[in-house]
Amino acid sequence: MTAPAPIFSANDPRLAGVGDAGRGKDVFAAGDCASCHATPGQPDRLRLGGGLALASPFGTFRPPNISSDPTDGIGNWDVADLGNALIAGVSPDGKHYYPAFPYASYTGMTVADIKDLYAYLKTLPAVTGRAPPHHPKILFAVRRSIGFWKALFFREGSSKANLTGDAVHDRGGYLVETLSHCAECHSTRNLLGAIKSHTRFAGGPDQQGTGYIPNITPAGIGRWSEADIEEMLTTGNTPTHGRVGSSMADVVINTKSLPESDRKAIARYIKSLAPRLTPHP
């Protein structure tokens, strides 16, 4: 019941063929990969040596080196290893990843996007050095216990996207709910760190304890138009003559590099969200 369960084998026919690194660059940006995995203290967002300290009520977690270094990074991974990390939350050596890595959202990724992301990551420079170890609270120190968390809260391959058949809206659903994993920050969590469904996108205390994440449902930004959201995703400017800050400023660095059609799709989907009241601290 608690054993790690990889979904792809090394020769899985679903992963046959070579991904497109050009498209993988957009997957990388939409997934906000650099924001967590870039080496802290230097300006190059493509030096993916990891090590950024992510504080949480469950301990401090350090994103790993995902550069092409064969020893300290993922240079020896094949595309199945990447797929199992993203879809199943399982490492190549058969261990559960902590859900600080947002595979609960990434699990809805398409095989094409996994292959394209893998192709793009292979083009990035190798970075030597491993990230410091995680320091989880005692309750979460045993990795096998994450299997219980998965049994309760993780549904492999699932997506929370509400699809309507409108191509723009549904593309936005894939970006917001899966690749860009917006709910991972814009929601509150229960005592075991899973998103409370009734707070999804309604904001709440920052998991790192450094502020308050805004409500992005119509209850929070209902006066924003789709064009306002697109503008914020491109420049960081808000319709109230402000600018986004904190971790969202880093997100905008990624979203502004996406095709305009993707920013439009994200805006369309966010405007369709059900209104939810912001939870009290």
Side-chain angles (χ1 to χ4, degrees), residues 53-54 83 96 182 210 245 275:
L54 299 176
H96 292 298
C182 304
T210 56

Side-chain angles (χ1 to χ4, degrees), residues 9-236:
S9 62
N11 298 311
D12 196 307
R14 292 171 292 178
L15 299 173
V18 178
D20 184 310
R23 289 197 296 266
K25 183 178 181 180
D26 287 339
V27 177
F28 179 87
D32 210 25
C33 305
S35 296
C36 283
H37 290 280
T39 305
Q42 54 84 43
D44 187 349
R45 293 171 60 80
L46 300 183
R47 289 186 58 80
L48 303 176
L52 178 70
L54 299 176
S56 82
F58 310 101
T60 299
F61 299 92
R62 303 271 186 167
N65 184 329
I66 61 166
S67 79
S68 55
D69 186 273
T71 302
D72 298 326
I74 63 172
N76 283 333
W77 286 24
D78 59 23
V79 68
D81 292 328
L82 182 62
N84 286 324
L86 293 165
I87 302 295
V90 176
S91 70
D93 59 353
K95 295 180 180 178
H96 292 298
Y97 281 117
Y98 286 106
F101 172 40
Y103 55 81
S105 292
Y106 289 153
T107 191
M109 285 181 67
T110 65
V111 168
D113 277 354
I114 293 168
K115 291 165 58 178
D116 292 345
L117 177 60
Y118 179 80
Y120 178 66
L121 289 172
K122 297 292 279 186
T123 71
L124 300 182
V127 180
T128 59
R130 296 192 176 185
H134 300 308
H135 290 287
K137 298 281 181 71
I138 188 65
L139 179 64
F140 303 97
V142 178
R143 290 266 183 154
R144 192 64 177 262
S145 68
I146 300 170
F148 286 110
W149 187 93
K150 286 182 172 179
L152 290 171
F153 306 115
F154 177 62
R155 297 296 176 265
E156 186 179 280
S158 67
S159 170
K160 298 292 187 182
N162 177 30
L163 305 181
T164 66
D166 175 81
V168 176
H169 172 278
D170 291 356
R171 172 63 178 169
Y174 178 66
L175 290 165
V176 170
E177 301 278 8
T178 299
L179 282 188
S180 298
H181 56 279
C182 304
E184 300 283 345
C185 284
H186 288 276
S187 310
T188 57
R189 296 175 181 270
N190 63 23
L191 291 176
L192 293 178
I195 290 174
K196 297 178 181 179
S197 59
H198 67 281
T199 72
R200 195 171 183 85
F201 301 112
D206 188 326
Q207 287 291 299
Q208 296 196 59
T210 56
Y212 214 73
I213 302 296
N215 185 329
I216 59 171
T217 77
I221 60 170
R223 294 185 178 181
W224 291 29
S225 66
E226 287 187 25
D228 292 332
I229 298 172
E230 288 180 60
E231 175 69 17
M232 182 274 294
L233 295 172
T234 306
T235 67

Side-chain angles (χ1 to χ4, degrees), residues 229-254:
I229 298 172
E230 288 180 60
E231 175 69 17
M232 182 274 294
L233 295 172
T234 306
T235 67
N237 296 328
T238 71
T240 55
H241 307 290
R243 285 187 62 83
V244 297
S246 188
S247 57
M248 191 62 199
D250 205 50
V251 170
V252 170
I253 294 175
N254 298 311

